Amino acid sequence: MENFPVINMEKLNGVERAATMEIIKDACENWGFFELVNHGIPHEVMDTVERLTKGHYKKCMEQRFKELMASKALEGGIQAEITDMDWESTFFLRHLPVSNISEVPDLDDQYREIMKNFALRLEKLAEELLDLLCENLGLEKGYLKKAFYGSKGPNFGTKVSNYPPCPRPELIKGLRAHTDAGGIILLFQDDKVSGLQLLKDDQWVDVPPMRHSIVVNLGDQLEVITNGKYKSVLHRVIAQTDGNRMSIASFYNPGSDAVIYPAPALLEKEAEERKEVYPKFVFDDYMKLYAGFKFQAKEPRFEIMKTMEVNVKVGPVVTA
Ligand SMILES: O=C(O)CCC(=O)C(=O)O
Ligand SMILES: [Fe+2]
């Protein structure tokens, strides 16, 4: 098995730019995942985010999680695998189109401020990455950002998770296998406790923890826009018997009313002739479907969107 792709973003500014773009291209085509180092987000910001997230978990979430799991999951010494829940403790922050950080309960001011700061940096990084993808795909700069824009700009939010130590990891997943519905996902994961795996060539591969790195993966919408040149990849989190794993996943997704469809420049004639064309739909309609089918295969989701396609009548994305 080849090594997990790691991109040193500093190399995009020097003589190794072409080789680095090539690693990104290969990662997008063959992994659906890659890991960024030297991405420009200050390590001190990441350290503060980590410290406050872990403190917040201890103070506000841990007891709740223990009570919930004691009552639900493992009471009475469960023997069979649990397939309808995950061994994770989470909360969500929305940044765009409108932030809800000031309304989320139990966060102190310093935590709110650093999460706002971190999100702003991640938003810029996501947009930078989308342009790198455009370059590799031969799409004009800004194409993907515009494709995601809709009428109010992208949806951008953060899922803050902790995966506490689990006494029976063989019976319950930290998070069951799924592909992400949206656009591009930026993950700040614990550098000590592992657990995230992706499916590659029918084998589960660990996403290696690496201090101060950002893990990137591609969601279903990029698979649609690239007409399958890039694919969203199944991933899951394995619960661990020791250690608490922190993960902060930020989802840069299309706006709710953005119309998503394969970029005309990427539609190969042969694929069109064989009718191997991904559907066109309003992103929010996809999300409604995903809500009920997150842990099932994505292909039926695309098929259902095709049957709804007749109702979508919109012109091409203008990128001038
Ligand atoms: O916690 C992780 O490492 C992954 C989370 C994830 O895949 C998700 O929330 O969609
Ligand atoms: Fe995911």
Side-chain angles (χ1 to χ4, degrees):
M1 174 75 65
E2 323 96 285
N3 287 334
F4 188 87
V6 177
I7 314 293
N8 180 351
M9 288 192 81
E10 259 172 22
K11 292 195 174 170
L12 289 167
N13 303 319
V15 289
E16 290 181 66
R17 182 180 169 85
T20 306
M21 289 302 287
E22 200 52 42
I23 306 174
I24 298 174
K25 184 165 179 243
D26 182 72
C28 290
E29 289 177 356
N30 298 308
W31 292 79
F33 271 76
F34 49 92
E35 201 154 350
L36 302 176
V37 294
N38 294 323
H39 40 62
I41 300 184
H43 292 177
E44 308 82 71
V45 172
M46 299 181 81
D47 290 343
T48 307
V49 167
E50 177 170 356
R51 182 170 53 80
L52 296 183
T53 298
K54 289 186 170 173
H56 173 265
Y57 175 73
K58 279 268 165 229
K59 188 163 158 241
C60 305
M61 308 288 284
E62 185 174 37
Q63 194 54 31
R64 212 179 303 165
F65 178 81
K66 283 184 176 161
E67 282 161 18
L68 184 76
M69 283 306 172
S71 68
K72 276 201 178 162
L74 302 178
E75 67 178 2
I78 286 192
Q79 294 305 318
E81 187 174 354
I82 295 167
T83 54
D84 60 353
M85 62 188 291
D86 306 296
W87 189 265
E88 63 170 2
S89 162
T90 63
F91 67 95
F92 292 87
L93 302 174
R94 190 179 63 234
H95 314 297
L96 295 174
V98 180
S99 170
N100 74 344
I101 291 194
S102 59
E103 291 131 51
V104 177
D106 298 335
L107 310 181
D108 63 34
D109 288 349
Q110 192 194 6
Y111 193 28
R112 280 182 222 278
E113 276 316 302
I114 197 73
M115 292 310 274
K116 266 192 227 165
N117 179 322
F118 188 43
L120 210 57
R121 294 172 188 276
L122 288 168
E123 180 193 332
K124 298 291 163 250
L125 183 57
E127 289 175 354
E128 191 183 337
L129 289 168
L130 287 180
D131 271 340
L132 295 174
L133 268 51
C134 283
E135 191 176 329
N136 273 337
L137 287 162
L139 296 171
E140 63 200 280
K141 194 169 158 56
Y143 183 93
L144 290 171
K145 184 175 171 183
K146 289 231 167 71
F148 283 14
Y149 203 81
S151 66
K152 299 188 190 70
N155 277 303
F156 184 51
T158 296
K159 176 185 164 202
V160 180
S161 312
N162 281 273
Y163 299 91
C166 176
R168 303 294 301 275
E170 72 285 9
L171 295 183
I172 188 166
K173 295 281 176 295
L175 181 60
R176 290 161 285 166
H178 64 282
T179 65
D180 291 339
I184 192 160
I185 300 88
L186 279 61
L187 176 76
F188 173 21
Q189 66 164 344
D190 203 282
D191 68 331
K192 293 189 186 69
V193 184
S194 63
L196 179 61
Q197 298 183 326
L198 63 93
L199 194 65
K200 179 165 166 46
D201 305 326
D202 294 324
Q203 293 207 334
W204 289 104
V205 179
D206 290 327
V207 177
M210 201 184 291
R211 191 157 164 75
H212 296 135
S213 74
I214 298 279
V215 176
V216 179
N217 71 293
L218 311 182
D220 295 347
Q221 305 314 304
L222 284 175
E223 176 163 341
V224 173
I225 295 174
T226 64
N227 205 47
K229 243 172 139 49
Y230 295 169
K231 295 209 166 53
S232 60
V233 161
L234 273 177
H235 53 283
R236 66 181 188 183
V237 178
I238 299 295
Q240 308 289 338
T241 48
D242 294 310
N244 182 70
R245 173 170 181 271
M246 176 200 79
S247 102
I248 300 173
S250 297
F251 299 81
Y252 187 102
N253 289 351
S256 302
D257 64 357
V259 179
I260 301 299
Y261 56 93
L266 300 181
L267 277 183
E268 287 152 10
K269 231 189 166 53
E270 307 82 65
E272 264 184 295
E273 278 159 12
R274 289 198 301 270
K275 303 240 176 307
E276 288 167 0
V277 177
Y278 279 73
K280 177 177 188 173
F281 51 81
V282 175
F283 178 61
D284 203 37
D285 289 338
Y286 190 86
M287 287 312 277
K288 284 185 190 135
L289 181 67
Y290 183 82
F293 297 96
K294 171 168 174 174
F295 298 109
Q296 294 179 29
K298 63 189 164 181
E299 291 79 8
R301 296 201 288 266
F302 294 143
E303 288 308 315
I304 292 171
M305 295 320 291
K306 275 186 199 172
T307 65
M308 293 167 64
E309 214 168 42
V310 278
N311 302 319
V312 186
K313 291 198 188 65
V314 213
V317 180
V318 181
T319 56

